[in-house]
Amino acid sequence: MFIVDCDCHNYWCSATVLEPYMEGLFKDMFIRGERTGPRGAFPHGHRPWFHPEGFARHDVNPVEEGDNYLIMKEKHLDKYNIDVAILTGDEPIEASTLANPYYANALCKAYNDYMIDYWLPKDDRFWGSIVVAPQDPHLAAAEIRRAGGHPRVVQVLVSHGASRPYGDPFYHPIYEACAEMGLPFAMHLGGQGGINSTPIGAGPSTFFWETHAILPQTAMTHMASLIANGVFEKWPSLKVVVIECGVAWVPSVLWRLDANYKALRKETPWLKRLPSEYFKDHFRFSTQPLEQPENIQHLWAALEAMDGENTLMFASDYPHWDYDDVNKLHVPPAWREKIFGLNALDVYTRLPRAAAQAAE
């Protein structure tokens, strides 16, 4: 079976790997300036919760930079016969939490150059995501146009934590650049500190485990906002990929959006279709972390209600603590080929279809 992993984190041992890709004031700030943690930590505004165990799997223990690839190759790529691994970095999306948009953009630019220069040549299975700092959409759009033309870059990536809902016209320069470069816009769980609004509607929760369970609230807001603000009428070819935000909540939100739109549609005359119709054409969700009810039929009913056969894409979240094993993903058997690889080919149009045919 052809397998595309849509969320494979390329780790580093120290963020100092970015130093050769920075220059001037921002390199000086990166080397000498204050940060959250010791030298080697990536600058960001930290969230108010700490993971009680740490984010990485306990069997992934790199000692030096080269180990990050070798361990990934052994414990994930080769072990599960991954055909395509879309690299999503790790800490770089946290640049969205910084108040200084120029520094945030410089950090993203350095990461993108590092990823293209260091990671993509290591393995033919690697395809890249370029990270942008959305707090200055014009700088983000310029970075998309600068780095997005690389033939092995397949998407633009931001954190799901943001200072305002992503449908806001403030962000539209980003979507214009994505459409121009033919790249999907992806948001990944993260960026919950600094300048970004708290992702919990009633205010910060207390414990990490409860917070991790309800973080999808922010993704709900972004999904509704992107639809309501007419982003897909302006850019009808744009695809939005939502990574690591859960999936079972999607049908209930779509039902509510459809019902309210039918009753009050005069408020957004630019919309031409039901919210659920925009969703099916433009949104794709990663499977990780897939909910685990006692009765699997309850989950499958929710997945069917969101057209999961066509809107879900496999993601492992390697090497995080809640990593999803290829062999244990509980989706309807008849959908597996689409979810594990074929749906990704429709979203990431730069991926070679010949690879899928060879795998078959």
Side-chain angles (χ1 to χ4, degrees), residues 160-234:
H160 96 309
S163 58
R164 59 183 83 186
Y166 276 135
D168 192 303
F170 173 79
Y171 294 116
H172 286 192
I174 294 176
Y175 309 133
E176 184 175 2
C178 287
E180 180 183 318
M181 302 304 294
L183 293 171
F185 174 78
M187 65 183 84
H188 189 294
L189 188 83
Q192 294 120 23
I195 64 170
N196 292 339
S197 303
T198 174
I200 307 303
S205 44
T206 306
F207 304 105
F208 184 87
W209 70 263
E210 63 166 320
T211 304
H212 192 259
I214 58 179
L215 280 175
Q217 290 180 31
T218 309
M220 298 177 197
T221 301
H222 292 318
M223 185 177 79
S225 176
L226 284 158
I227 293 170
N229 281 278
V231 168
F232 306 114
E233 286 295 332
K234 293 187 71 173

Side-chain angles (χ1 to χ4, degrees), residues 248 293-303:
E294 290 186 12
N295 185 338
I296 195 65
Q297 297 300 325
H298 294 165
L299 173 65
W300 288 4
L303 300 185

Side-chain angles (χ1 to χ4, degrees), residues 212-334:
H212 192 259
I214 58 179
L215 280 175
Q217 290 180 31
T218 309
M220 298 177 197
T221 301
H222 292 318
M223 185 177 79
S225 176
L226 284 158
I227 293 170
N229 281 278
V231 168
F232 306 114
E233 286 295 332
K234 293 187 71 173
W235 295 284
S237 65
L238 183 67
K239 289 287 195 295
V240 173
V241 181
V242 183
I243 304 173
E244 208 174 318
C245 293
V247 297
W249 55 266
V250 171
S252 63
V253 173
L254 289 176
W255 295 332
R256 293 180 66 86
L257 288 173
D258 278 359
N260 281 274
Y261 173 71
K262 288 175 183 177
L264 304 168
R265 69 181 70 193
K266 67 180 181 180
E267 196 175 14
T268 52
W270 47 82
L271 297 183
K272 304 294 190 291
R273 298 188 291 162
L274 290 173
S276 59
E277 293 172 334
Y278 286 110
F279 169 83
K280 289 180 181 180
D281 283 349
H282 296 280
F283 281 89
R284 298 296 180 265
F285 275 67
S286 76
T287 54
Q288 200 283 334
L290 196 59
E291 290 81 0
Q292 302 178 45
E294 290 186 12
N295 185 338
I296 195 65
Q297 297 300 325
H298 294 165
L299 173 65
W300 288 4
L303 300 185
E304 184 175 7
M306 62 179 284
D307 191 26
E309 181 179 7
N310 297 302
T311 60
L312 292 175
M313 303 191 300
F314 169 70
S316 71
D317 194 30
Y318 174 90
H320 287 166
W321 63 283
D322 52 350
Y323 167 87
D324 276 356
D325 186 317
V326 168
N327 298 322
K328 297 179 180 178
L329 190 68
H330 42 285
V331 295

Side-chain angles (χ1 to χ4, degrees), residues 21 32 101 109 177 191 295 312 352:
Y21 303 94
R32 300 178 58 197
K109 182 178 178 180
N295 185 338
L312 292 175

Side-chain angles (χ1 to χ4, degrees), residues 11-13 56-57 59-69 71 318-319:
Y11 263 50
W12 52 44
C13 295
R57 287 166 37 177
D59 64 332
V60 176
N61 298 297
V63 175
E64 54 188 36
E65 290 298 340
D67 294 343
N68 288 293
Y69 167 63
I71 296 172
Y318 174 90

